[in-house]
PDB file of all heavy atoms in Angstrom:
ATOM      1  N   ILE L 147     157.283  40.908  56.190  1.00  0.00           N
ATOM      2  CA  ILE L 147     157.349  41.575  54.921  1.00  0.00           C
ATOM      3  C   ILE L 147     158.613  42.299  54.706  1.00  0.00           C
ATOM      4  O   ILE L 147     159.252  42.119  53.612  1.00  0.00           O
ATOM      5  CB  ILE L 147     156.227  42.645  54.783  1.00  0.00           C
ATOM      6  CG1 ILE L 147     154.889  41.924  54.636  1.00  0.00           C
ATOM      7  CG2 ILE L 147     156.430  43.611  53.575  1.00  0.00           C
ATOM      8  CD1 ILE L 147     153.623  42.905  54.667  1.00  0.00           C
ATOM      9  N   ILE L 148     159.144  42.878  55.720  1.00  0.00           N
ATOM     10  CA  ILE L 148     160.444  43.688  55.520  1.00  0.00           C
ATOM     11  C   ILE L 148     161.726  42.917  55.959  1.00  0.00           C
ATOM     12  O   ILE L 148     162.840  43.390  55.664  1.00  0.00           O
ATOM     13  CB  ILE L 148     160.394  44.939  56.277  1.00  0.00           C
ATOM     14  CG1 ILE L 148     160.335  44.738  57.829  1.00  0.00           C
ATOM     15  CG2 ILE L 148     159.212  45.757  55.885  1.00  0.00           C
ATOM     16  CD1 ILE L 148     160.336  46.072  58.574  1.00  0.00           C
ATOM     17  N   SER L 149     161.654  41.763  56.511  1.00  0.00           N
ATOM     18  CA  SER L 149     162.802  41.070  57.110  1.00  0.00           C
ATOM     19  C   SER L 149     163.885  40.714  56.128  1.00  0.00           C
ATOM     20  O   SER L 149     165.065  40.632  56.498  1.00  0.00           O
ATOM     21  CB  SER L 149     162.289  39.810  57.994  1.00  0.00           C
ATOM     22  OG  SER L 149     161.739  38.940  57.057  1.00  0.00           O
ATOM     23  N   GLU L 150     163.456  40.432  54.905  1.00  0.00           N
ATOM     24  CA  GLU L 150     164.493  40.081  53.859  1.00  0.00           C
ATOM     25  C   GLU L 150     164.991  41.245  53.086  1.00  0.00           C
ATOM     26  O   GLU L 150     165.758  41.017  52.177  1.00  0.00           O
ATOM     27  CB  GLU L 150     163.870  38.949  52.887  1.00  0.00           C
ATOM     28  CG  GLU L 150     163.406  37.742  53.557  1.00  0.00           C
ATOM     29  CD  GLU L 150     164.560  37.024  54.314  1.00  0.00           C
ATOM     30  OE1 GLU L 150     165.622  37.027  53.744  1.00  0.00           O
ATOM     31  OE2 GLU L 150     164.263  36.425  55.448  1.00  0.00           O
ATOM     32  N   GLU L 151     164.656  42.399  53.305  1.00  0.00           N
ATOM     33  CA  GLU L 151     165.023  43.517  52.559  1.00  0.00           C
ATOM     34  C   GLU L 151     166.237  44.170  53.157  1.00  0.00           C
ATOM     35  O   GLU L 151     166.724  43.947  54.216  1.00  0.00           O
ATOM     36  CB  GLU L 151     163.780  44.564  52.577  1.00  0.00           C
ATOM     37  CG  GLU L 151     162.492  44.083  51.950  1.00  0.00           C
ATOM     38  CD  GLU L 151     162.708  43.475  50.555  1.00  0.00           C
ATOM     39  OE1 GLU L 151     163.506  44.132  49.810  1.00  0.00           O
ATOM     40  OE2 GLU L 151     162.085  42.432  50.338  1.00  0.00           O
ATOM     41  N   HIS L 152     166.757  45.166  52.415  1.00  0.00           N
ATOM     42  CA  HIS L 152     167.961  45.910  52.882  1.00  0.00           C
ATOM     43  C   HIS L 152     167.569  46.711  54.082  1.00  0.00           C
ATOM     44  O   HIS L 152     166.523  47.192  54.317  1.00  0.00           O
ATOM     45  CB  HIS L 152     168.458  46.807  51.806  1.00  0.00           C
ATOM     46  CG  HIS L 152     169.750  47.594  52.028  1.00  0.00           C
ATOM     47  ND1 HIS L 152     169.843  48.592  52.929  1.00  0.00           N
ATOM     48  CD2 HIS L 152     170.995  47.232  51.566  1.00  0.00           C
ATOM     49  CE1 HIS L 152     171.220  48.964  52.943  1.00  0.00           C
ATOM     50  NE2 HIS L 152     171.853  48.154  52.093  1.00  0.00           N
ATOM     51  N   PRO L 153     168.568  46.717  55.076  1.00  0.00           N
ATOM     52  CA  PRO L 153     168.311  47.396  56.433  1.00  0.00           C
ATOM     53  C   PRO L 153     167.843  48.888  56.217  1.00  0.00           C
ATOM     54  O   PRO L 153     167.037  49.405  56.998  1.00  0.00           O
ATOM     55  CB  PRO L 153     169.683  47.377  57.112  1.00  0.00           C
ATOM     56  CG  PRO L 153     170.269  46.203  56.550  1.00  0.00           C
ATOM     57  CD  PRO L 153     169.876  46.064  55.136  1.00  0.00           C
ATOM     58  N   GLN L 154     168.326  49.585  55.136  1.00  0.00           N
ATOM     59  CA  GLN L 154     167.814  50.956  54.913  1.00  0.00           C
ATOM     60  C   GLN L 154     166.357  50.976  54.689  1.00  0.00           C
ATOM     61  O   GLN L 154     165.672  51.886  55.096  1.00  0.00           O
ATOM     62  CB  GLN L 154     168.583  51.597  53.854  1.00  0.00           C
ATOM     63  CG  GLN L 154     168.489  53.078  53.630  1.00  0.00           C
ATOM     64  CD  GLN L 154     169.025  53.833  54.885  1.00  0.00           C
ATOM     65  OE1 GLN L 154     169.739  53.376  55.682  1.00  0.00           O
ATOM     66  NE2 GLN L 154     168.573  55.100  55.052  1.00  0.00           N
ATOM     67  N   ILE L 155     165.909  50.017  53.879  1.00  0.00           N
ATOM     68  CA  ILE L 155     164.447  50.000  53.454  1.00  0.00           C
ATOM     69  C   ILE L 155     163.657  49.637  54.857  1.00  0.00           C
ATOM     70  O   ILE L 155     162.635  50.187  55.080  1.00  0.00           O
ATOM     71  CB  ILE L 155     164.103  48.963  52.487  1.00  0.00           C
ATOM     72  CG1 ILE L 155     164.905  49.257  51.145  1.00  0.00           C
ATOM     73  CG2 ILE L 155     162.691  48.697  52.202  1.00  0.00           C
ATOM     74  CD1 ILE L 155     164.411  50.475  50.614  1.00  0.00           C
ATOM     75  N   MET L 156     164.245  48.728  55.596  1.00  0.00           N
ATOM     76  CA  MET L 156     163.485  48.368  56.902  1.00  0.00           C
ATOM     77  C   MET L 156     163.499  49.625  57.727  1.00  0.00           C
ATOM     78  O   MET L 156     162.451  49.819  58.400  1.00  0.00           O
ATOM     79  CB  MET L 156     164.319  47.203  57.547  1.00  0.00           C
ATOM     80  CG  MET L 156     164.384  45.982  56.734  1.00  0.00           C
ATOM     81  SD  MET L 156     165.543  44.721  57.363  1.00  0.00           S
ATOM     82  CE  MET L 156     164.868  44.270  58.912  1.00  0.00           C
ATOM     83  N   ALA L 157     164.573  50.425  57.775  1.00  0.00           N
ATOM     84  CA  ALA L 157     164.524  51.566  58.605  1.00  0.00           C
ATOM     85  C   ALA L 157     163.514  52.565  58.130  1.00  0.00           C
ATOM     86  O   ALA L 157     162.806  53.293  59.029  1.00  0.00           O
ATOM     87  CB  ALA L 157     165.922  52.227  58.647  1.00  0.00           C
ATOM     88  N   ILE L 158     163.410  52.759  56.897  1.00  0.00           N
ATOM     89  CA  ILE L 158     162.379  53.629  56.343  1.00  0.00           C
ATOM     90  C   ILE L 158     161.018  53.240  56.764  1.00  0.00           C
ATOM     91  O   ILE L 158     160.149  54.119  57.061  1.00  0.00           O
ATOM     92  CB  ILE L 158     162.455  53.784  54.802  1.00  0.00           C
ATOM     93  CG1 ILE L 158     163.814  54.487  54.386  1.00  0.00           C
ATOM     94  CG2 ILE L 158     161.333  54.575  54.188  1.00  0.00           C
ATOM     95  CD1 ILE L 158     164.211  54.436  52.979  1.00  0.00           C
TER      96      ILE L 158
END
Side-chain angles (χ1 to χ4, degrees):
I147 289 174
I148 66 175
S149 60
E150 300 300 322
E151 302 305 322
H152 189 280
Q154 190 66 15
I155 298 299
M156 297 166 70
I158 292 170

